Amino acid sequence: MRVLIVGAGVGGLTAALSLHAAGIEALVVEASASLRPLGVGINLLPHATRELTELGLGDAMTSTAIATAEMVHFDRHGGRIWGEPRGLALGYDWPQYSIHRGELQMILLDAVLDRLGPGSVRTASVLEGFEQDADGVRAHVLDRIAGTGAEIHADVLVGADGLHSSVRAQLHPGEPGPLWNGIRMWRGVAEGEPFLTGRTMAVAGSNAAAKLVVYPISIRRPLINWVAEIRTDDGMGPHRPADWNRGGRLEDVLPYYADWRFPWLDVPALLARTPRVLEYPMVDRDPLPFWTRGRVTLLGDAAHPMYPIGSNGGSQAVLDARVLAHELARCGDPGAGLAAYERARRETVNAIVLACRDMPADRVLQTVAERAPDGFDRIEDVLTAEELESIGSAYQRTSFSDAKALNTRPSLSVAG
Ligand SMILES: Cc1cc2nc3c(=O)[nH]c(=O)nc-3n(C[C@H](O)[C@H](O)[C@H](O)COP(=O)(O)OP(=O)(O)OC[C@H]3O[C@@H](n4cnc5c(N)ncnc54)[C@H](O)[C@@H]3O)c2cc1C
């Protein structure tokens, strides 16, 4: 079986590694002229780090990523609202990792080129369309540099081509563009010593107004990732197509955080020393009624773009990739394998997309801002025990599998 994967992001590259490990041939086409370590920080939950570890990438991850120890919410004055352990500290056998997205992509790319060969990832190659029949798929791919088109034949086509997926567009013609929820996100990485435990992911404020998510992403260098989420009604977000690599302006975001100075972090100083600020609207798409038609399917953000809440985007793409390879190898037939993959994944991930929209944790954080706009001494005077507890259960719904269930579940690895 030969699988053509469209897109060399986290999902596409993990799919290539997983298919190869399962004894299935894979080729990746990527629109970018070259693969560079783009993006800023990203988080992988234990169910995803298990899969990358089983793909033999555990040491590469451990040598750079931060094994996140806790997640803590504060109000915009730095008062501690709620905190909970993460990863190993929650009883998982695998850590939660905070890592630079580009670095993660390069770890995956190096492994793909090493294991599948130097010709296994074709850059500057844009999928323009496909046809399929009972015998296979014909993909039309444009070479952006030569300006020429080519036809690639495969048994299976996997659209791992992200938010603006052209495979999705062909499977679901007429679907509207990404849906914006009114929040703009500025993101960046700046030098800065890790704070609190040194492995803390901190969230301050609430995205009903201004929120900041901040965490270290490297054990090799003192690098802090930050995401500033601002609800705006200036109408600018949806008019600019969502592009993960779009530059943003520090002066647009800094004023919201001018007095956010906590004992453990000077927020305006962190933002001000960020070499490159990026801007992205918080968008997703409605859950799909199907991902697969015959020999063609979707994976990762192409199948289920979601708000970046609870560390799900990259983690779910990794899980998709592993289940896809597992089912194709188990069934031995393209149609049956893809149908089994979709059965295993679509409803589960669609539910996460919807749960991320609901943002119950943010409603509680907003309640804190309303009841104690100038800060508080004791959170127990502001929130009931039930309200506090609801923050943890909100993450439980969007982000976590049961630790024992994950620790004891059989591996998705297939002997190749
Ligand atoms: C440049 C970039 C930077 C990002 N930065 C961050 C970040 O800082 N933090 C974060 O949480 N998430 C970031 N993301 C998103 C994050 O990587 C995804 O949410 C998650 O990892 C799932 O990845 P994916 O492989 O499904 O999609 P993506 O990571 O979006 O990868 C899709 C790939 O498909 C390629 N592609 C698209 N159309 C075609 C086509 N027609 N033909 C061939 N190739 C095509 C794209 O160039 C891209 O490489 C970024 C994505 C990108 C592309």
Side-chain angles (χ1 to χ4, degrees), residues 6-12 29-32 35 38-42 101 105 125-127 160-164 166 187 244-245 299-302 308 313-314 317:
V6 185
V10 172
V29 289
E30 164 57 46
S32 309
L35 284 168
L38 298 177
V40 290
I42 197 166
R101 182 223 174 244
Q105 193 184 14
S125 300
V126 186
L127 181 94
D161 46 349
L163 177 68
H164 304 289
S166 57
R187 300 142 52 232
W244 281 107
N245 209 29
L299 180 154
D301 280 5

Side-chain angles (χ1 to χ4, degrees), residues 216-235:
I217 54 169
S218 173
I219 58 167
R220 290 196 293 220
R221 287 176 297 160
L223 291 179
I224 306 289
N225 182 78
W226 58 266
V227 185
E229 300 176 11
I230 313 283
R231 190 172 284 283
T232 63
D233 56 4
D234 61 7

Side-chain angles (χ1 to χ4, degrees), residues 226-258:
W226 58 266
V227 185
E229 300 176 11
I230 313 283
R231 190 172 284 283
T232 63
D233 56 4
D234 61 7
M236 290 174 75
H239 301 299
R240 294 193 281 182
D243 173 356
W244 281 107
N245 209 29
R246 180 190 301 287
R249 297 191 317 170
L250 182 66
E251 57 268 35
D252 287 341
V253 63
L254 200 51
Y256 292 94
Y257 299 92

